[in-house]
Amino acid sequence: MIINSRKIFTVFFVTLLSCLLYAQQANLIFRESYRLADVQNLVMALNSENVEIKNFRGYKVTVEFYSNNSSRSPVIKRANKSIIIENSREHSYKNDYCNIVIYIPYDFQMNSFDFISDSGSLSTEQIWASKISARSNSGSISMENVISRDTFAARSSKGFIKIGSFKGEYFELTNHSGNIEMNKVQAEYFNTTSSSGEVYIQLTEAPIAGSQISTNSGNIIVEIPFTENFNAQILSNSGTFRDNIKNIRKSARGEYEAKYNEGGAMITLKTTSGDITLE
């Protein structure tokens, strides 16, 4: 009898949870589409709203708001070929939520993409723009495919920063206590800083100008093809330096420099107490 009661309770709980999730997903309160010519710039200044960018095959940009409280709906404006989405600044309650879903055509190129939020997270598929900026105080930033003709900057204080692939001239990543992960990177130069989180960067080619990765207490892992030409400078007060390209393992205390193949731009890896790995 006890077992049957447990089964009944489990089925009831799962059904209730499914209904709640469906209700959240189905609560669409706003949808509007815009011509591509009217969306050269996409700007978001939000509070706790989560934003998801999806790609599709089409000829318009579509914005959707999902919320359980219509007064929490962000304000959307249009000016100078820009779509501006701002927090409504209405009082919100603990159980209020608002999710923003934006559909952008594949390979659509914008002038600028700017996301700033207090506690909301950003999740994107492909973003292609001259200037790309993503900042969140406590939310996470996850971007699958970033293409920048100029600069890309991402900043978070507590959430993680994860980039699936990047191609562009320059990027700057900053995180206080969360991890930074960047894969399939093609950049001319870069600067990455973390206080206590780990930094992992996978380079498909060496930068052509001086670049730096620094942490306070987090580890640094840099993956780069062994055939690339570059110089490396290792700076650390403690921790271990593992050079899996030259098969060297040593204390990273102090300063260490090495030339790889014909040499090239300097990549500086700096940490106070974390380990540094080059592979």
Side-chain angles (χ1 to χ4, degrees), residues 102-137:
I102 303 175
Y103 295 89
I104 297 177
Y106 286 101
D107 299 329
F108 174 56
Q109 302 179 39
M110 294 179 284
N111 288 331
S112 66
F113 176 92
D114 193 1
F115 168 86
I116 182 170
S117 177
D118 181 39
S119 59
S121 296
L122 172 68
S123 173
T124 76
E125 293 182 351
Q126 184 189 76
I127 292 295
W128 190 343
S130 294
K131 295 183 179 181
I132 302 172
S133 177
R135 294 161 288 171
S136 181
N137 184 27

Side-chain angles (χ1 to χ4, degrees), residues 21-68:
L21 291 174
Y22 176 78
Q24 285 194 353
Q25 293 175 351
N27 201 4
L28 174 66
I29 63 173
F30 175 86
R31 175 189 286 139
E32 190 165 339
S33 296
Y34 309 91
R35 298 185 311 157
L36 299 186
D38 296 330
V39 196
Q40 292 302 300
N41 307 290
L42 182 56
V43 181
M44 290 158 281
L46 304 170
N47 184 11
S48 61
E49 298 86 351
N50 296 318
V51 176
E52 183 177 6
I53 308 293
K54 296 184 177 182
N55 297 125
F56 75 111
R57 301 194 182 282
Y59 302 96
K60 291 185 178 182
V61 172
T62 300
V63 179
E64 297 179 345
F65 297 159
Y66 295 83
S67 179
N68 62 345

Side-chain angles (χ1 to χ4, degrees), residues 165-192:
S165 67
F166 172 80
K167 183 176 182 180
E169 180 180 343
Y170 172 75
F171 69 83
E172 180 175 352
L173 305 182
T174 305
N175 206 339
H176 180 66
S177 59
N179 293 339
I180 294 175
E181 179 182 338
M182 201 166 189
N183 298 280
K184 300 177 182 177
V185 174
Q186 291 180 267
E188 295 184 8
Y189 64 112
F190 55 85
N191 186 13
T192 302

Side-chain angles (χ1 to χ4, degrees), residues 132-178:
I132 302 172
S133 177
R135 294 161 288 171
S136 181
N137 184 27
S138 59
S140 297
I141 297 170
S142 177
M143 307 180 75
E144 183 62 29
N145 185 6
V146 179
I147 305 173
S148 170
R149 296 190 297 273
D150 191 350
T151 60
F152 167 53
R155 178 188 297 268
S156 180
S157 295
K158 299 177 182 178
F160 64 82
I161 298 176
K162 183 176 181 180
I163 311 301
S165 67
F166 172 80
K167 183 176 182 180
E169 180 180 343
Y170 172 75
F171 69 83
E172 180 175 352
L173 305 182
T174 305
N175 206 339
H176 180 66
S177 59

